[in-house]
Amino acid sequence: MDIRAAIGRVLRSSEFGHYADHEHEIRRRVGEDAEAINEDVLQARYEYGVGDRAVVSWDELIGLVLRLLLLVPVVAGALAAAIYLWNSPEAELQRIDGLAAYKNWVAGLCAGLFLHQGAAVVRVVKRQVVRWRADIFSSKEAADAYQAALAAKARELVSHAINDVLGSRGVVAFPTYAPRLVELDTSTITPSATVNQVKEFIESHESSAIGLAGNRGSGKSTVLRALTRSPELSPFVTVVASPVKYDAGEFLRRLLHEVAVTINRRANSDDDAPVRRRGNRLALALFWLAGLTGAAMILIKVLPVMPVLKRIDLVLVLGCVLLGAAIINAVVAVARRMASSGDTSLPPDVRRARELLHALQWEVERGTNLKTTVKVQNVLEGSAERTSKDKSRAMSHADLVLALQELLHLFVKYNYPWKHLVVCIDELDKLDQPEHLVSVVNELKDVFHIRGVHFVVTVSTDALRSFESRGLADRDAFDSAFDTVISTRWLTMDESVDVIISRAGGFAAEIAKFCHAWSGGLVRDLLRAARKAVELQKSSGQALTVSEIVNGLIFDDLHSVTLTSLRSLESANPDVASLWELQCMLERGRDGEELCPSAVAALNFTNEAFEVLQAKVRLGLHLINLAGTSGDADAALIQIGNAMGKIAGPKPMRDNAVTNAVALTPGTRLTTTSSERHLRGPDSF
């Protein structure tokens, strides 16, 4: 069976080579779930369509044959009739009244019908061949996707088996290959409370201006990416990155360009619709012409109309009909062109978006040249020439604002209430000057609160604090400009586990919980901790226990931070001695010596940044102790994660958070108040 071969490949891979001594136990544990595994494999084969149907189905084959049976006789008959008429003598054609006189006309008509229907046969066969080739390619892609899903399922089964068999011995399954433990635009976005809160606010209001604030790395950009992938909002969601160097005109130009691109995307899939419609109308007209010609020929033969037709010049009548049809078609085409612009099939908002895109990308120059020459008997000659050129000027700041407002109103007119436009402006904290934040927000106020249009603007709380420290009222300006300011909530422990497992198959949930506690639920630090854990297992020559992975993760991180801090200090700094003592403690702990948390707490620092580091070391030592004990440590891990979000705050908050966190032991349950506080996130305190 496919799954057994996949499990064998997984066990022989370098990722699970550390567990070769336990292969027999692992296979036996996997075999206990054989029935459920078989159902999952059959379901996967059904979903990916592997082996369930041939590339060429009977329905498609029969449909092709029926179409060819209708078209091929017409093609063959038209060709035979044309050849017969051109090669037959007039005496032989006298049996049909009038046919000998117009045999060349009729033969030409048959030849035209042959060419048209022959082209139709070629198109039918070509389209079917292209479809079959696409099906073959899709089948190969489906097979590859099925094999990838099968391999992922095998890794998952082996990981669960390892955890069941060896978990009691302190050994867990752990990946050594996790390329998606980074911030990727293509990564799966795990739903979070912040994403749901932003979406609910947008969906429940006709217009909104939402501020999204949070620490750097707290997942603000991830929230915006989640909005772009939301089925309810897509495809009218655009994300505009804030520039590092602020330029009022350039920022608005970029914003207008991105909004126009998003609106233009509405019609991209239907750009060739007018061409298809014209082609369909032409084919329909030719079919009607062929049918009416055949019907006329039959009626002429059956009905007694030949005496009347003999008195009529058929060539003249045919010419008048064709000329009249051409004149009518030309008049109708000119009338339609005069009635509206060339892109009659495009909505006004899309046409305006394309005009703005052209104006933003190119400089338009129009000119006229008038020259008059007079000659008299080749003796006297005079000429006059006048030239004028109009060159469009670059759009000013006011022009950009007016153009953006006009485009947004057009979008609302032709899309609201069925569609909303969401404009996301990311990373305003990248601005090099604090004063520019207020300038950007004030510029955006001009386009806020247009019905059907929503703005989501992100800025880090670190940037806001630095702005406030300069004596500016930036926080007030930021808050007053928006309907609501939503603080990104740090991930809960369950959300952190989902984020890691969705990016690294086989990642042990137990270690993911420790990564959550060490990062405090901050997305960027969470991925760094998980990536470090994978690197530790990969660099080891044997399967590591949970305690060994957590020890390596925390000691390496703390050692790096303290060493960097030491190198930045001068010898006369009063904190050098305490920081050096802390560094020596961490080195002894990394070598296996048990550290005393009270010794770390007894160190004295004058710099608050080093006090924060001291608090982090105390929390890290408690995490290491939890990893080496048995029992349910979820409550303690949640409390430590909560404390990690507070240690950068005021000293009373920091001391209280650390004291409460280190007091919890495995098996302790959090109170309702503590749980609720953790769910609200550190920004609520």
Side-chain angles (χ1 to χ4, degrees):
M1 181 180 287
D2 294 343
I3 189 64
R4 293 188 179 181
I7 290 174
R9 289 192 296 270
V10 168
L11 290 173
R12 290 190 297 271
S13 66
S14 59
E15 181 176 350
F16 290 90
H18 306 304
Y19 310 99
D21 296 338
H22 310 282
E23 181 175 348
H24 179 69
E25 296 178 85
I26 296 171
R27 285 185 177 274
R28 185 176 57 188
R29 176 64 187 87
V30 172
E32 294 176 1
D33 298 329
E35 184 176 351
I37 293 172
N38 291 336
E39 292 181 0
D40 292 340
V41 172
L42 291 176
Q43 179 66 24
R45 291 179 68 87
Y46 173 77
E47 290 178 356
Y48 290 100
V50 178
D52 289 337
R53 72 177 186 91
V55 174
V56 181
S57 66
W58 281 107
D59 292 340
E60 293 176 345
L61 187 59
I62 292 174
L64 176 62
V65 171
L66 291 177
R67 287 194 295 272
L68 292 179
L69 287 177
L70 292 174
L71 293 174
V72 170
V74 176
V75 174
L79 178 61
I83 294 174
Y84 173 76
L85 290 173
W86 274 323
N87 295 330
S88 298
E90 295 185 0
E92 188 177 344
L93 300 177
Q94 292 296 335
R95 292 174 297 176
I96 302 177
D97 295 337
L99 182 58
Y102 301 104
K103 71 168 189 174
N104 291 332
W105 288 88
V106 178
L109 181 62
C110 293
L113 182 61
F114 162 75
L115 293 176
H116 179 268
Q117 294 301 303
V121 171
V122 172
R123 283 198 303 271
V124 169
V125 175
K126 182 179 179 180
R127 287 175 182 172
Q128 191 61 53
V129 170
V130 170
R131 188 178 295 114
W132 283 340
R133 291 180 62 183
D135 289 342
I136 293 173
F137 182 74
S138 299
S139 298
K140 184 178 182 303
E141 283 191 332
D144 293 342
Y146 168 70
Q147 291 297 330
L150 196 65
K153 182 65 177 178
R155 285 195 298 270
E156 179 183 351
L157 292 172
V158 171
S159 299
H160 286 315
I162 292 173
N163 293 334
D164 291 343
V165 173
L166 306 178
S168 59
R169 309 175 201 177
V171 179
V172 295
F174 206 68
T176 59
Y177 179 72
R180 298 174 66 243
L181 279 176
V182 291
E183 295 185 38
L184 291 174
D185 289 342
T186 57
S187 297
T188 302
I189 297 177
T190 303
S192 65
T194 305
V195 175
N196 295 331
Q197 186 177 0
V198 174
K199 286 175 58 178
E200 289 174 1
F201 195 91
I202 291 175
E203 293 171 355
S204 59
H205 295 82
E206 290 187 350
S207 175
S208 62
I210 303 173
L212 190 61
N215 291 353
R216 288 184 173 92
S218 60
K220 300 184 297 297
S221 299
T222 304
V223 172
L224 300 188
R225 290 204 304 272
L227 295 179
T228 63
R229 302 181 186 183
S230 172
E232 299 85 0
L233 304 176
S234 182
F236 299 111
V237 181
T238 182
V239 179
V240 183
S242 175
V244 177
K245 297 290 184 180
Y246 172 71
D247 185 301
E250 194 60 33
F251 175 72
L252 279 177
R253 186 183 301 274
R254 176 71 181 277
L255 179 60
L256 177 59
H257 180 272
E258 294 300 326
V259 172
V261 168
T262 302
I263 295 177
N264 181 45
R265 193 181 303 148
R266 168 187 175 190
N268 280 348
S269 59
D270 294 329
D271 277 346
D272 58 341
V275 178
R276 292 198 303 268
R277 286 196 293 269
R278 286 195 294 270
N280 293 337
R281 286 197 296 266
L282 178 60
L284 183 62
L286 291 175
F287 273 114
W288 273 103
L289 179 60
L292 291 176
T293 303
M297 294 174 66
I298 294 174
L299 291 176
I300 290 173
K301 186 64 179 176
V302 174
L303 299 178
V305 296
M306 288 304 300
V308 179
L309 293 177
K310 288 180 179 179
R311 298 194 297 268
I312 299 175
D313 191 342
L314 296 181
V315 176
L316 179 62
V317 172
L318 181 60
C320 292
V321 171
L322 293 177
L323 181 61
I327 293 174
I328 293 174
N329 186 42
V331 171
V332 172
V334 171
R336 287 179 177 176
R337 184 174 295 275
M338 293 177 63
S340 59
S341 63
D343 286 335
T344 56
S345 60
L346 296 178
D349 58 330
V350 177
R351 291 203 303 272
R352 181 55 179 160
R354 294 189 175 184
E355 293 172 359
L356 289 173
L357 287 174
H358 187 270
L360 291 172
Q361 294 175 355
W362 308 98
E363 287 188 357
V364 181
E365 184 175 339
R366 298 182 179 88
T368 58
N369 189 4
L370 180 62
K371 183 177 182 180
T372 305
T373 303
V374 179
K375 291 184 179 181
V376 180
Q377 297 293 328
N378 293 327
V379 176
L380 181 62
E381 180 178 348
S383 65
E385 184 175 353
R386 184 176 60 184
T387 303
S388 63
K389 289 185 178 181
D390 297 327
K391 184 177 181 180
S392 61
R393 62 179 177 83
M395 299 178 71
S396 64
H397 182 276
D399 294 334
L400 292 170
V401 173
L402 290 176
L404 182 56
Q405 289 177 336
E406 177 193 5
L407 184 59
L408 294 178
H409 283 294
L410 277 175
F411 174 85
V412 171
K413 181 177 180 181
Y414 292 96
N415 292 274
Y416 187 80
W418 305 279
K419 293 291 183 181
H420 294 256
L421 178 64
V422 181
V423 182
C424 305
I425 301 174
D426 194 16
E427 298 179 333
L428 278 185
D429 49 285
K430 291 195 308 184
L431 294 172
D432 57 342
Q433 296 295 328
E435 296 83 359
H436 292 160
L437 174 66
V438 180
S439 300
V440 171
V441 173
N442 289 332
E443 286 180 356
L444 293 175
K445 285 182 180 179
D446 295 330
V447 291
F448 280 174
H449 301 114
I450 296 176
R451 187 179 62 170
V453 181
H454 304 264
F455 280 83
V456 182
V457 182
T458 69
V459 68
S460 71
T461 52
D462 298 337
L464 290 178
R465 293 191 190 102
S466 67
F467 299 155
E468 291 172 344
S469 66
R470 291 171 174 259
L472 301 174
D474 294 294
R475 184 60 187 255
D476 293 336
F478 189 80
D479 288 343
S480 63
F482 298 95
D483 300 315
T484 182
V485 177
I486 299 175
S487 296
T488 52
R489 302 178 180 182
W490 292 13
L491 299 179
T492 64
M493 188 167 68
D494 291 339
E495 291 173 345
S496 296
V497 172
D498 290 341
V499 167
I500 294 177
I501 293 179
S502 67
R503 297 175 182 234
F507 201 103
E510 185 175 357
I511 298 179
K513 293 177 181 179
F514 279 92
C515 292
H516 162 78
W518 187 235
S519 66
L522 192 64
V523 178
R524 188 170 299 166
D525 291 345
L526 174 70
L527 296 179
R528 288 173 179 169
R531 197 162 57 246
K532 179 61 177 178
V534 172
E535 293 171 357
L536 288 171
Q537 177 62 80
K538 186 175 182 179
S539 61
S540 174
Q542 59 183 358
L544 299 178
T545 63
V546 174
S547 178
E548 291 171 335
I549 292 176
V550 173
N551 281 18
L553 167 65
I554 293 177
F555 276 126
D556 286 353
D557 192 3
L558 292 176
H559 181 270
S560 175
V561 173
T562 53
L563 187 60
T564 302
S565 300
L566 271 173
R567 290 174 176 173
S568 65
L569 294 181
E570 298 179 354
S571 300
N573 192 294
D575 290 327
V576 168
S578 297
L579 196 59
W580 172 249
E581 178 63 24
L582 180 61
Q583 173 73 8
C584 295
M585 288 183 182
L586 293 175
E587 289 181 353
R588 293 195 298 268
R590 191 166 61 171
D591 293 337
E593 181 180 332
E594 185 176 354
L595 296 183
C596 180
S598 59
V600 175
L603 296 174
N604 294 319
F605 294 97
T606 60
N607 191 320
E608 188 173 5
F610 298 144
E611 291 181 350
V612 173
L613 175 59
Q614 181 185 28
K616 189 173 183 178
V617 172
R618 293 179 62 190
L619 294 175
L621 294 178
H622 190 55
L623 271 178
I624 292 173
N625 292 333
L626 290 177
T629 58
S630 59
D632 184 10
D634 286 1
L637 294 177
I638 290 175
Q639 191 69 16
I640 292 176
N642 196 7
M644 289 293 292
K646 297 179 179 179
I647 58 176
K651 182 176 176 58
M653 176 191 294
R654 177 170 57 250
D655 293 341
N656 180 69
V658 173
T659 301
N660 292 337
V662 299
L664 288 181
T665 58
T668 307
R669 293 184 177 274
L670 283 178
T671 62
T672 303
T673 304
S674 299
S675 300
E676 290 176 350
R677 287 179 177 177
H678 176 71
L679 291 176
R680 285 198 299 266
D683 288 336
S684 302
F685 293 88

